[in-house]
Amino acid sequence: MGDHRAEVTKVVCDTFRLDPALVEPDAPLEELGIDSKGRIKLLAALEIYYGVTIDLDRLDRFTDVGSVAAVLAEALGTGGPTERR
């Protein structure tokens, strides 16, 4: 599986103006202040940044940076089932 945690951390930090030193890969997004609306904003940011489409059905898997990276890897075709359109 492609490991996109560093890139996802960057997008999270840029999108939500967070200090990268405070973003742990396994920290729940809610602990970072990212609620359900924030997860939608993150999904949109990832789609723009990477030029992919991530199905909204995958949004429930956005629980921490590591899980977001796994969904992104799938969308990019580098880690499992793909949801590209």
Side-chain angles (χ1 to χ4, degrees):
M1 175 173 137
D3 188 359
H4 298 282
R5 283 181 281 189
E7 293 101 344
V8 170
T9 298
K10 180 182 179 346
V11 173
V12 166
C13 292
D14 291 349
T15 302
F16 299 100
R17 302 178 201 269
L18 299 172
D19 180 354
L22 301 176
V23 179
E24 296 292 328
D26 59 347
L29 294 179
E30 288 184 359
E31 284 185 10
L32 299 173
I34 303 171
D35 60 7
S36 59
K37 287 182 183 179
R39 290 193 326 248
I40 293 170
K41 184 177 179 178
L42 176 57
L43 182 140
L46 290 168
E47 288 183 332
I48 291 167
Y49 190 82
Y50 286 96
V52 297
T53 299
I54 301 171
D55 196 304
L56 279 175
D57 292 342
R58 303 282 185 201
L59 199 60
D60 63 333
R61 290 181 50 200
F62 280 32
T63 57
D64 55 45
V65 170
S67 64
V68 174
V71 172
L72 177 63
E74 291 171 9
L76 293 171
T78 59
T82 304
E83 277 298 322
R84 276 178 110 164
R85 292 185 199 168

